[in-house]
Amino acid sequence: MLLKSIAIAASVAGMLAAAPAPAASAAAPGASIQGWGSGNCPQGMLCIWPNWNHPPQGPVETPSLTTNSEWTGSIQGFNFYNGTGRDAVISGFAFGSSIPFKTCAPAGGTGGDLYIPVNVTKVTWQMTPC
């Protein structure tokens, strides 16, 4: 009887260990883990703004760039909001120089700044987290 109880307990423990963990919930559209919102960035887009001058709910000026696909060009950027379901890599150069710059814009309604004014020249999308 004791062996049967141990076998049942081991079986239950094995099933619990194999059960899938609950999925992590993504941030709601328009929400931000960085402390500011999407502002005037359309839902499902990555937006980059040229200046850091916005209220907590997000930027109100027109973005320098709004995209949800691969992009190359040249725009001034200082902060971003990624309202897509994919991580993006923002690349370019420190503004007014040839010093390369690259940062990750995490998926799921996150915003942040590029720390320095940047001449953004490329946005690429990642299949895995960056």
Side-chain angles (χ1 to χ4, degrees), residues 2-19:
L2 179 62
L3 250 87
K4 188 175 181 181
S5 295
I6 292 172
I8 291 172
S11 175
V12 169
M15 287 189 301
L16 289 175

Coordinates of all heavy atoms in Angstrom, one line a residue, residues 2-19:
L2 N 1.9 1.3 0.8 CA 2.8 2.4 0.9 C 3.5 2.6 -0.5 O 3.6 3.8 -0.9 CB 3.9 2.2 1.9 CG 4.9 3.3 2.1 CD1 4.3 4.6 2.5 CD2 6.0 2.9 3.1
L3 N 3.9 1.6 -1.2 CA 4.5 1.7 -2.5 C 3.5 2.3 -3.5 O 3.9 3.1 -4.3 CB 5.0 0.3 -3.0 CG 6.5 0.3 -3.0 CD1 7.1 -0.2 -1.7 CD2 7.0 -0.5 -4.2
K4 N 2.2 1.9 -3.4 CA 1.2 2.4 -4.3 C 1.0 3.9 -4.1 O 0.9 4.7 -5.0 CB -0.1 1.6 -4.1 CG -1.1 1.9 -5.1 CD -2.4 1.1 -4.9 CE -3.4 1.4 -6.0 NZ -4.6 0.6 -5.8
S5 N 1.0 4.3 -2.8 CA 0.8 5.7 -2.5 C 2.0 6.6 -3.0 O 1.8 7.7 -3.6 CB 0.7 5.9 -1.0 OG -0.4 5.3 -0.5
I6 N 3.2 6.0 -2.9 CA 4.4 6.7 -3.4 C 4.3 6.8 -4.9 O 4.7 7.9 -5.5 CB 5.7 6.0 -2.9 CG1 5.8 6.2 -1.4 CG2 6.9 6.6 -3.6 CD1 6.9 5.4 -0.8
A7 N 3.9 5.7 -5.5 CA 3.8 5.7 -7.0 C 2.8 6.7 -7.5 O 3.0 7.5 -8.5 CB 3.5 4.3 -7.5
I8 N 1.7 6.8 -6.8 CA 0.6 7.8 -7.2 C 1.1 9.2 -7.0 O 1.0 10.1 -7.9 CB -0.7 7.6 -6.4 CG1 -1.3 6.2 -6.9 CG2 -1.6 8.7 -6.6 CD1 -2.5 5.8 -6.1
A9 N 1.8 9.5 -5.9 CA 2.3 10.8 -5.6 C 3.4 11.2 -6.6 O 3.4 12.3 -7.1 CB 3.0 10.9 -4.2
A10 N 4.2 10.3 -7.0 CA 5.3 10.6 -8.0 C 4.6 10.8 -9.4 O 5.1 11.7 -10.1 CB 6.2 9.4 -8.1
S11 N 3.6 10.1 -9.7 CA 2.9 10.3 -10.9 C 2.2 11.7 -11.0 O 2.3 12.4 -12.0 CB 1.8 9.2 -11.1 OG 1.0 9.4 -12.3
V12 N 1.6 12.1 -9.9 CA 0.9 13.4 -9.9 C 2.0 14.5 -10.0 O 1.8 15.5 -10.7 CB 0.1 13.6 -8.6 CG1 -0.4 15.0 -8.4 CG2 -1.1 12.7 -8.7
A13 N 3.1 14.4 -9.3 CA 4.2 15.3 -9.3 C 4.7 15.5 -10.7 O 5.0 16.6 -11.2 CB 5.3 15.0 -8.3
G14 N 4.9 14.3 -11.4 CA 5.4 14.3 -12.8 C 4.4 15.1 -13.7 O 4.8 15.8 -14.6
M15 N 3.1 14.9 -13.5 CA 2.1 15.6 -14.4 C 2.1 17.1 -14.1 O 2.0 17.9 -15.1 CB 0.7 15.0 -14.1 CG 0.5 13.6 -14.7 SD -1.2 13.1 -14.7 CE -1.6 13.1 -13.0
L16 N 2.3 17.5 -12.9 CA 2.3 18.9 -12.6 C 3.6 19.5 -13.1 O 3.5 20.7 -13.7 CB 2.3 19.1 -11.1 CG 0.9 18.8 -10.4 CD1 1.0 18.9 -8.9 CD2 -0.2 19.7 -10.9
A17 N 4.7 18.9 -13.1 CA 5.9 19.4 -13.6 C 5.9 19.5 -15.1 O 6.5 20.4 -15.7 CB 7.1 18.5 -13.2
A18 N 5.1 18.6 -15.8 CA 5.0 18.7 -17.3 C 3.9 19.6 -17.8 O 3.9 19.9 -18.9 CB 4.7 17.2 -17.8
A19 N 3.1 20.1 -16.9 CA 2.0 21.0 -17.3 C 2.6 22.3 -17.8 O 3.5 22.8 -17.2 CB 1.0 21.3 -16.1

